[in-house]
Amino acid sequence: MKRKFAALAFSAYTMLLMGQEPIEPLPVTVEYDRAKAELGRRLFIDTVLSQDRTVACVTCHSFEFGGADPRSVSVGVGGQKGTIQSPTGMRSETVEKRLNADAAYRAWFKRLYGTDRITFMQVIDAIVEFEKALVTPNSRFDRYLRGEAALSKTEMEGYRRFKAYGCVTCHNGINIGGNSFQKMGLFVPYAYDEKVEDRYAVTQQSRHKNVYKVPTLRNIALTAPYFHDASAKTLKKAVQKMSYHNLGTDLDEEDVELIVAFLETLTGEKPKVLE
């Protein structure tokens, strides 16, 4: 894992030496089928897709909180609490049965897909089309990268330190993360909780304990609490804990405040499909 981290660090460092920005701006617009996206939006907020009809995708992926869940853990059907924030869902056969029993949905799907019977894959297709439209462009940092706006001196220094301390090693690219799995506690051990599902729960390889997908930092100011265990309630605390455990660096107050100022420039515009 440390060898992989070193390779990522070298790649990011090489980009910096070549004068390339390790972060890319989001496209201002994306192509998607608006009609299918509207259907997907309806399915995303409809409790019909949960076993007891009490929760929906939006229950755990709130539009108000950048697509995240503001609770420490997500609450599913029957009030059950998960070990980490997680999505909802049920068997494909049940989804098809319920939607085909709804005349309005049958008509909607027939108009868009040309079939008399709704299939699970059509449901997935519509929801994916909606999620594709959830791009949040034109953050102040995106506009800075495109040469359309300037960051303040404080924000610019925060970005410089974000790169200098190595945060950009894992948080890079167009999503500012989301493109690798990394260990929580790479340099300073992080308490392991076997009840929390990590990469090990999938692979059963001991080296994958406390390994999680690196989250995107886009709209990070909206998505508290932070980490798989919701242990950081504020962005400031998240920066302190992450730098200590995964960079082996105990940042001082000034460092943290500057980096937080930079992170707050990553909030984009509300997706047009939600208007």
Side-chain angles (χ1 to χ4, degrees):
M1 179 59 67
K2 288 187 178 182
R3 287 197 298 271
K4 181 180 179 182
F5 183 85
L8 286 169
F10 180 76
S11 177
Y13 182 63
T14 300
M15 292 180 69
L16 294 177
L17 288 178
M18 295 176 65
Q20 298 177 335
E21 290 290 358
I23 299 174
E24 304 169 44
L26 282 175
V28 176
T29 60
V30 295
E31 293 185 6
Y32 65 94
D33 186 313
R34 181 66 187 239
K36 288 184 178 180
E38 291 291 351
L39 171 57
R41 177 184 181 180
R42 176 59 192 171
L43 291 166
F44 196 85
I45 65 176
D46 198 335
T47 58
V48 73
L49 295 185
S50 70
Q51 291 179 348
D52 63 358
R53 300 176 185 262
T54 62
V55 296
C57 301
V58 74
T59 305
C60 301
H61 300 281
S62 171
F63 302 139
E64 295 181 44
F65 297 96
D69 192 334
R71 298 167 296 187
S72 295
V73 295
S74 297
V75 179
V77 296
Q80 298 179 79
K81 292 184 177 181
T83 58
I84 58 175
Q85 297 172 336
S86 58
T88 59
M90 60 180 171
R91 291 174 59 84
S92 59
E93 295 86 354
T94 306
V95 171
E96 292 179 354
K97 182 178 179 179
R98 288 188 183 177
L99 293 181
N100 278 294
D102 187 305
Y105 269 127
R106 286 202 312 273
W108 201 344
F109 273 88
K110 183 177 178 61
R111 184 168 66 253
L112 295 179
Y113 292 93
T115 56
D116 293 319
R117 183 179 178 279
I118 300 170
T119 69
F120 184 68
M121 290 310 299
Q122 290 170 348
V123 174
I124 295 299
D125 183 72
I127 293 176
V128 166
E129 204 65 24
F130 169 62
E131 292 179 340
K132 187 193 302 182
L134 294 177
V135 62
T136 56
N138 291 322
S139 69
R140 289 184 51 245
F141 188 68
D142 283 331
R143 287 160 48 217
Y144 157 75
L145 290 176
R146 295 197 302 263
E148 300 170 357
L151 299 183
S152 70
K153 183 178 179 180
T154 297
E155 294 162 346
M156 198 66 209
E157 180 60 19
Y159 179 44
R160 187 191 73 77
R161 298 193 191 192
F162 180 84
K163 293 186 287 187
Y165 282 118
C167 310
V168 76
T169 301
C170 297
H171 294 286
N172 54 58
I174 195 168
N175 290 319
I176 322 179
N179 52 15
S180 66
F181 288 91
Q182 296 296 336
K183 188 179 186 66
M184 185 66 173
L186 188 62
F187 288 101
V188 178
Y190 193 87
Y192 179 69
D193 185 348
E194 61 181 13
K195 295 179 181 179
V196 177
E197 294 187 0
D198 51 9
R199 191 65 179 155
Y200 171 75
V202 177
T203 68
Q204 294 299 300
Q205 297 183 37
S206 59
R207 64 191 177 91
H208 286 155
K209 290 183 177 181
N210 260 359
V211 171
Y212 300 91
K213 186 176 183 179
V214 176
T216 173
L217 294 186
R218 289 197 172 278
N219 304 299
I220 193 67
L222 305 177
T223 61
Y226 305 101
F227 304 146
H228 60 282
D229 56 4
S231 59
K233 307 304 181 185
T234 66
L235 197 49
K236 178 178 178 180
K237 188 64 176 179
V239 171
Q240 291 172 325
K241 292 190 69 169
M242 181 54 65
S243 60
Y244 177 69
H245 289 284
N246 271 43
L247 298 177
T249 302
D250 199 0
L251 299 180
D252 61 27
E253 189 76 11
E254 181 185 43
D255 285 328
V256 173
E257 290 181 355
L258 288 170
I259 291 175
V260 167
F262 157 65
L263 294 176
E264 289 176 342
T265 71
L266 302 178
T267 303
E269 295 177 349
K270 182 178 181 180
K272 294 187 180 301
V273 73
L274 297 180
E275 295 176 354

